[in-house]
Structure formats: structure tokens, C-alpha cells
């Protein structure tokens, strides 16, 4: 511990670089070993609190010196001796460790975050990102002529990873830092790093995007959604959410756009690509079905962690526009965008069951009327059969269409007299009664139909009279009538 603190003091006093340096050049090999020890030491919050403005200025100078040394050698890549090659290697390793030390020193310590910004370290870190990316690209271009240059690429990636992590830490809750980082990285470096071959570089770049855009009123948010280059970046991030290789921060970025009521922009950006649009719906569905963890609530904000109801109102309108897709799917026809439309239908069936959270959806009478008319239309074109042959059914775009429509009607009619009456007036009760059969293409169709009729007749004498009037014609037994609460 004493040796580590002595190393800390030597760096702080500028013994390695600067006016007080013991040598006119930096011994990067020795410094790299010192930094490795300091990284272990700095895992303790108490130790990180010893960092001050002087220490950060010394580390900033070391970063500047390292970049200059690497630049000088890389400019003459073809003439490097073996010793030069080794020096470049240890210099990049030392740079990565300096950035990691800076990263570790600000975790949950706002004072250190402020000091890093004050001393201009943010600019130095952003310089590292662009500089070491250019070094990696140059080494990649000459790899066939100069094979040893390949050893530098993974080392440069280590620097970029740590620098992006540190940038994220400094961006949290600091709009000024977010603006500075955005101005330096967007759009060229953002697009470039999202196209990196390194998975973690992509992930941490998405983290920076999240912190810059996941709040209402964000200027970067308007910029990325309002330009073609920004929309291309959004599509790339959505692609990084695809299973099974979903990146955590890519999904958080997409969830952030949803939470700040930009789902419509997000969906329309991806709408031309069914695969991406489907991924957006899957992210939305997962967010809807899982309870936010404390860490997610902290990231998104307690109020912003919920999905805005405007998202589902938009999807309800989308479903209404694509009603022909739903009908064709239920009739067994192939529909180009059928899979996406069916997924939206399943999602809305889930949402309408969340009575206490999305009343603007469950009380949306025009949407209910649209769903009833779709079900009536399907039933009139292809009535459900009572004696269907049994066999295996592969879930596809037509799977469970009728059941999901009945589930929506059931949810929206629960304890809602207005909706119960509208279903009756539109002839929906007779249609639902016709679906009280077992259908392998619509699992639990009969059960949902029975529950639906129960919701429609609950405390509604007019609807109960309709069921009584249909009893003899469809052969509903007395026991089944009692299950519906009708005597």
C-alpha cells in the first residue's frame, strides 16, 4: 500500500512527465507497471477520493505525451525497429491504463467528475477515441506490408473501450458534457464506432447515445431523429437489439426513445424494413412485460421508465389502417407485412389487459369498434368450423388471430357498459358465440370466447337477453349459460 501511494504521489508531482520529470522522456514500460498497481488500488472509493485537480492535470499531460509519442512512431511505421515496435506497444498499454484509472476514479464520485471536466480531461479522452481509431485503421490498411502492425489494433480498441466508458460516466446528468461529447463524436465517429468489429465498442457507443438522448428536450435527440445520417444511426442501433446477440446499451437506447415519447419517430424510421420494425415491437413488448429494475429506473427516471400511452394509441391507429392485413392473415392468405401486423395485434391484446395503467386504450371506443368489425368480417368470410380435423399446427402469421381479437374485445368490455353495448349493436356477440369451439390455429379460443361473453353480459340485461335469444339456435346448454352468469 505504501509503494502504491508513493507511485500515486510521483505521478501527481509530475515525476514522469512535465517540468518536474526525472527524464526528458517517459519510461512507458515502467509507468505501465505502476499504473497496473494503481488500478487495483483505485477500486476503493476512499482511495479515489485522493484524486485532485493536480493529479488530473498530471494524467492529462501523460495522455498528451503518449499520443505524441505514438503519433511520431506511427507516422514512420515502415521504418520502425524492433525496439520502436515494443515502445509503441507499451505506450498504448500505458495509455489504456491511464484511461482506466481515470474511469475508475469517477465512479459514484461527482466531485471527481467535476474535476475531470474542469481540467479539460474530457477533450483529452475524446481525442484518444478519434486518435486511436485512426491508428487502428492505419495499421489495418498496412497489415499485409507490415505484419507487426496488427498487434496494435487490439491495443487501440482497449483504449477506445475505456475512453467510451469514461465518457459515459461524465455524461450522466451533465447536459454540458453531453453537448461537448456530441459535438465531437456525432455523426462521423458515432457511425464509425457503431460499425466496429468489437462488440463492446458498439455497446459503449450506444451507452453514450443513451445518455445524450434519453431525456425530454435533448438537442441531440432532435438532431439524430431529424437527419438522414441520424436515422441511419438509429437503424443501426435497432439492428444491435436483435436476438440472440442483443447489446444491453443498444436496447436501453431504444427504450429511452420510447420513454421520451419518440416511439412514432423510431417506428417510422424503421418502417421500411420489416425486420427492424419487428425488432422495435419486440423491445417494446419486453419493456411492457418486465418490471423495471432499480438501476433502470435510475437511468430513465421514475416517471419516464413507463411506456407512454401515446405509443399504444399510435399502434391502435396502425392496426386500424392495416385491418385488411389482419383479415387476410386470418383467412390463410400470405401478406407481405403480415408478421409485423400480427405482432402489433398480440401486443395490443396484452396492453388492453393492463386496465390500471392504460385506460386511454381500454376506453378507446373507436378502436374497439374497429376490432369488432374485423372479427365480424373474418367470420362472415370464413366461419369457424365446429368439426375441424386434429393435427399439428405450425405457429405462423395466421396463428391466434381470432383469439387475439376476442381477447381485445374481452379486455375492453370488462366493466364498461358503453363498450358492452357497442359490441352488441355491431353484432359482435353473435360472432363471439360462434367461436366457442376448439381451434388448433387459435389456442384457448373457446376459453377466451366464454370469458368474453361473460364480460359482455356482466351487469348488462340487454346483452343477456341476446344470449337467451340465441340459446336455442346455437345449442348452448343450461350449464354453459350459468357459467356466463345468465339464468
Amino acid at each position: 500500500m505504501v509503494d502504491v501511494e508513493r507511485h500515486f504521489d510521483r505521478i501527481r508531482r509530475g515525476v514522469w512527465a512535465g517540468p518536474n520529470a526525472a527524464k526528458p522522456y517517459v519510461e512507458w514500460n515502467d509507468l505501465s507497471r505502476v499504473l497496473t498497481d494503481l488500478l487495483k488500488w483505485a477500486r476503493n472509493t476512499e482511495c479515489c477520493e485522493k484524486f485532485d485537480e493536480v493529479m488530473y492535470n498530471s494524467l492529462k499531460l501523460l495522455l498528451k505525451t503518449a499520443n505524441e509519442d505514438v503519433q511520431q512512431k506511427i507516422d514512420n511505421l515502415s521504418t520502425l525497429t524492433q525496439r520502436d515496435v515494443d515502445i509503441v506497444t507499451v505506450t498504448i498499454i500505458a495509455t489504456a491504463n491511464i484511461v482506466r484509472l481515470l474511469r475508475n476514479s469517477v465512479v459514484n464520485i461527482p466531485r471527481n467528475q467535476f474535476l475531470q471536466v474542469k481540467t479539460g480531461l474530457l477533450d483529452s479522452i475524446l481525442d484518444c477515441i478519434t486518435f486511436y481509431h485512426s491508428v487502428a485503421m492505419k495499421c489495418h490498411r498496412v497489415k499485409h506490408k507490415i505484419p507487426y502492425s496488427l498487434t496494435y489494433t487490439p491495443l487501440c480498441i482497449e483504449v477506445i473501450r475505456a475512453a467510451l466508458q469514461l465518457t459515459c460516466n461524465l455524461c450522466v446528468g451533465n447536459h454540458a458534457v453531453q453537448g461537448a461529447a456530441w459535438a465531437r463524436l456525432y455523426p462521423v465517429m458515432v457511425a464509425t464506432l457503431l460499425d466496429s468489429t468489437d462488440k463492446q465498442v458498439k455497446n459503449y457507443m450506444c451507452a453514450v447515445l443513451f445518455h445524450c438522448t434519453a431525456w425530454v428536450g435533448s438537442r441531440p435527440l432532435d438532431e439524430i431523429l431529424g437527419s438522414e445520417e441520424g436515422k441511419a444511426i438509429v437503424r443501426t442501433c435497432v439492428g444491435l437489439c436483435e436476438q440472440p446477440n442483443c447489446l444491453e446499451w443498444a436496447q436501453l437506447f431504444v427504450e429511452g426513445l420510447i420513454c421520451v415519447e419518440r416511439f412514432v419517430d423510431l417506428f417510422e424510421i424503421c418502417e421500411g424494413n420489416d425486420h427492424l420494425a419487428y425488432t422495435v415491437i419486440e423491445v417494446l413488448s419486453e419493456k411492457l412485460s418486465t418490471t423495471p429494475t432499480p438501476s433502470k429506473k435510475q437511468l430513465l427516471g421514475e416517471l419516464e421508465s413507463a411506456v407512454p400511452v401515446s405509443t399504444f394509441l399510435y399502434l391502435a391507429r396502425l392496426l386500424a389502417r392495416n385491418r385488411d392485413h389482419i383479415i387476410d392473415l386470418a383467412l390463410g392468405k400470405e401478406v407481405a407485412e403480415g408478421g409485423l401486423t400480427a405482432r402489433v395485434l398480440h401486443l395490443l391484446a396484452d396492453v388492453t389487459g393492463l386496465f390500471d395503467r392504460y385506460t386511454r386504450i381500454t376506453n378507446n371506443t373507436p378502436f374497439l369498434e374497429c376490432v369488432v368489425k374485423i372479427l365480424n368480417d373474418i367470420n362472415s368470410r370464413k366461419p369457424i368450423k365446429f368439426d375441424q380435423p386434429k393435427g399439428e399446427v405450425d405457429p405462423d402469421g395466421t396463428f391466434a388471430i381470432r383469439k387475439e381479437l376476442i381477447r381485445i374485445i374481452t379486455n375492453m368490455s370488462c366493466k364498461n357498459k358503453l363498450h358492452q353495448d357497442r359490441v352488441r349493436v355491431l353484432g359482435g356477440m353473435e360472432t363471439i358465440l360462434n367461436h366457442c369451439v376448439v381451434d388448433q390455429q387459435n389456442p384457448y379460443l373457446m376459453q377466451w370466447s366464454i370469458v368474453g361473453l361473460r364480460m359482455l353480459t356482466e351487469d348488462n340485461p340487454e346483452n343477456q337477453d341476446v344470449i337467451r335469444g340465441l340459446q336455442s339456435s346455437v345449442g348452448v346448454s343450461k350449464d354453459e349459460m350459468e357459467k356466463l352468469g345468465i339464468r
Side-chain angles (χ1 to χ4, degrees):
M1 180 65 73
V2 174
D3 287 342
V4 174
E5 290 183 351
R6 183 168 60 83
H7 292 327
F8 180 90
D9 185 61
R10 282 168 59 82
I11 292 177
R12 184 180 179 278
R13 289 188 291 108
V15 172
W16 293 96
N20 299 325
K23 297 180 180 180
Y25 56 88
V26 178
E27 290 283 1
W28 292 110
N29 197 32
D30 294 340
L31 180 59
S32 184
R33 288 195 293 269
V34 167
L35 289 166
T36 300
D37 293 336
L38 279 175
L39 276 171
K40 298 176 183 177
W41 173 78
R43 291 173 182 170
N44 188 307
T45 302
E46 184 178 343
C47 297
C48 289
E49 289 175 347
K50 295 182 179 181
F51 283 76
D52 59 9
E53 191 170 342
V54 176
M55 180 62 170
Y56 284 135
N57 277 319
S58 295
L59 291 171
K60 177 183 173 184
L61 181 58
L62 282 172
L63 280 178
K64 181 175 181 289
T65 305
N67 291 355
E68 290 172 350
D69 287 358
V70 172
Q71 181 71 70
Q72 184 181 9
K73 296 289 192 297
I74 294 298
D75 285 344
N76 303 287
L77 201 56
S78 60
T79 62
L80 294 186
T81 65
Q82 184 58 51
R83 175 176 170 76
D84 291 332
V85 172
D86 294 340
I87 289 174
V88 172
T89 299
V90 296
T91 305
I92 299 176
I93 292 173
T95 302
N97 283 336
I98 291 171
V99 179
R100 290 188 186 107
L101 185 64
L102 291 167
R103 176 200 64 194
N104 292 356
S105 73
V106 300
V107 176
N108 297 322
I109 305 179
R111 168 186 162 275
N112 287 1
Q113 296 173 11
F114 169 77
L115 289 176
Q116 285 199 16
V117 175
K118 181 181 178 182
T119 55
L121 266 166
L122 175 65
D123 287 330
S124 299
I125 294 303
L126 296 173
D127 287 339
C128 283
I129 293 173
T130 54
F131 172 66
Y132 282 99
H133 176 265
S134 67
V135 171
M137 289 298 97
K138 182 172 183 178
C139 291
H140 182 73
R141 286 195 300 271
V142 301
K143 62 182 179 181
H144 298 298
K145 296 180 180 179
I146 312 173
Y148 62 75
S149 65
L150 277 176
T151 61
Y152 299 146
T153 302
L155 299 177
C156 292
I157 287 175
E158 292 292 330
V159 177
I160 294 171
R161 282 181 183 176
L164 286 172
Q165 285 180 296
L166 176 55
T167 303
C168 289
N169 290 340
L170 296 178
C171 280
V172 176
N174 191 322
H175 295 175
V177 172
Q178 293 166 10
W182 189 260
R184 289 288 301 276
L185 298 177
Y186 180 82
V188 177
M189 281 309 299
V190 173
T192 301
L193 294 178
L194 286 175
D195 194 42
S196 170
T197 56
D198 185 76
K199 184 176 180 180
Q200 289 305 317
V201 168
K202 294 178 181 178
N203 198 31
Y204 297 143
M205 188 65 253
C206 289
V208 174
L209 285 174
F210 169 82
H211 287 298
C212 289
T213 60
W215 50 279
V216 177
S218 164
R219 184 186 61 79
L221 176 61
D222 292 331
E223 196 170 342
I224 198 171
L225 295 177
S227 64
E228 289 306 316
E229 51 199 4
K231 291 176 182 178
I233 287 171
V234 171
R235 283 189 284 268
T236 300
C237 290
V238 172
L240 295 175
C241 296
E242 294 175 3
Q243 297 295 348
N245 301 312
C246 176
L247 297 183
E248 177 186 8
W249 281 105
Q251 182 157 338
L252 278 170
F253 168 67
V254 173
E255 287 185 13
L257 296 181
I258 293 171
C259 288
V260 295
E261 300 196 43
R262 303 306 289 266
F263 174 82
V264 176
D265 297 306
L266 173 64
F267 189 80
E268 290 180 349
I269 286 171
C270 299
E271 200 169 11
N273 184 321
D274 281 357
H275 198 58
L276 292 180
Y278 195 93
T279 301
V280 171
I281 297 299
E282 287 300 307
V283 172
L284 174 60
S285 178
E286 183 177 341
K287 181 164 183 59
L288 183 70
S289 61
T290 56
T291 303
T293 61
S295 59
K296 266 195 178 182
K297 284 185 177 181
Q298 186 177 7
L299 282 170
L300 295 167
E302 186 75 30
L303 294 177
E304 294 181 341
S305 62
V307 179
V309 69
S310 57
T311 297
F312 303 114
L313 292 172
Y314 171 79
L315 290 177
R317 292 193 296 271
L318 179 68
L319 187 71
R321 289 201 303 270
N322 295 333
R323 67 188 306 274
D324 290 339
H325 292 174
I326 294 293
I327 294 171
D328 289 341
L329 284 171
L331 298 178
K333 299 179 182 179
E334 290 188 6
V335 180
E337 301 175 2
L340 177 61
T341 306
R343 187 66 187 89
V344 171
L345 173 66
H346 299 328
L347 178 60
L348 288 171
D350 291 335
V351 173
T352 52
L354 302 174
F355 310 106
D356 56 333
R357 290 168 57 184
Y358 297 107
T359 55
R360 285 179 63 191
I361 282 289
T362 55
N363 293 330
N364 192 314
T365 305
F367 177 52
L368 171 75
E369 293 174 345
C370 175
V371 171
V372 173
K373 289 175 182 177
I374 291 174
L375 184 64
N376 287 344
D377 204 343
I378 292 170
N379 189 61
S380 64
R381 297 191 193 187
K382 188 177 181 180
I384 199 84
K385 294 181 179 179
F386 285 79
D387 54 348
Q388 299 181 78
K390 294 184 178 180
E392 292 189 5
V393 177
D394 293 326
D396 55 18
T398 68
F399 195 64
I401 295 292
R402 297 184 191 233
K403 185 259 289 185
E404 297 296 356
L405 290 169
I406 291 174
R407 188 153 73 102
I408 291 175
I409 297 170
T410 300
N411 292 335
M412 297 184 72
S413 300
C414 180
K415 302 184 185 304
N416 189 320
K417 181 68 163 55
L418 173 63
H419 283 180
Q420 292 171 350
D421 292 342
R422 289 304 300 159
V423 174
R424 182 187 71 250
V425 170
L426 293 170
M429 294 191 63
E430 293 88 340
T431 302
I432 294 176
L433 191 60
N434 288 337
H435 285 79
C436 291
V437 297
V438 175
D439 179 20
Q440 293 183 90
Q441 193 68 25
N442 289 272
Y444 303 106
L445 176 65
M446 181 170 66
Q447 289 87 338
W448 271 106
S449 297
I450 291 173
V451 173
L453 290 171
R454 186 177 182 86
M455 293 300 104
L456 288 164
T457 56
E458 186 176 28
D459 298 325
N460 193 312
E462 296 90 341
N463 285 0
Q464 292 179 18
D465 289 340
V466 171
I467 298 297
R468 290 192 189 95
L470 294 170
Q471 180 180 3
S472 58
S473 61
V474 298
V476 180
S477 68
K478 182 179 179 181
D479 290 340
E480 289 174 326
M481 295 283 284
E482 289 180 352
K483 285 180 183 179
L484 301 176
I486 304 173
R487 291 177 174 80

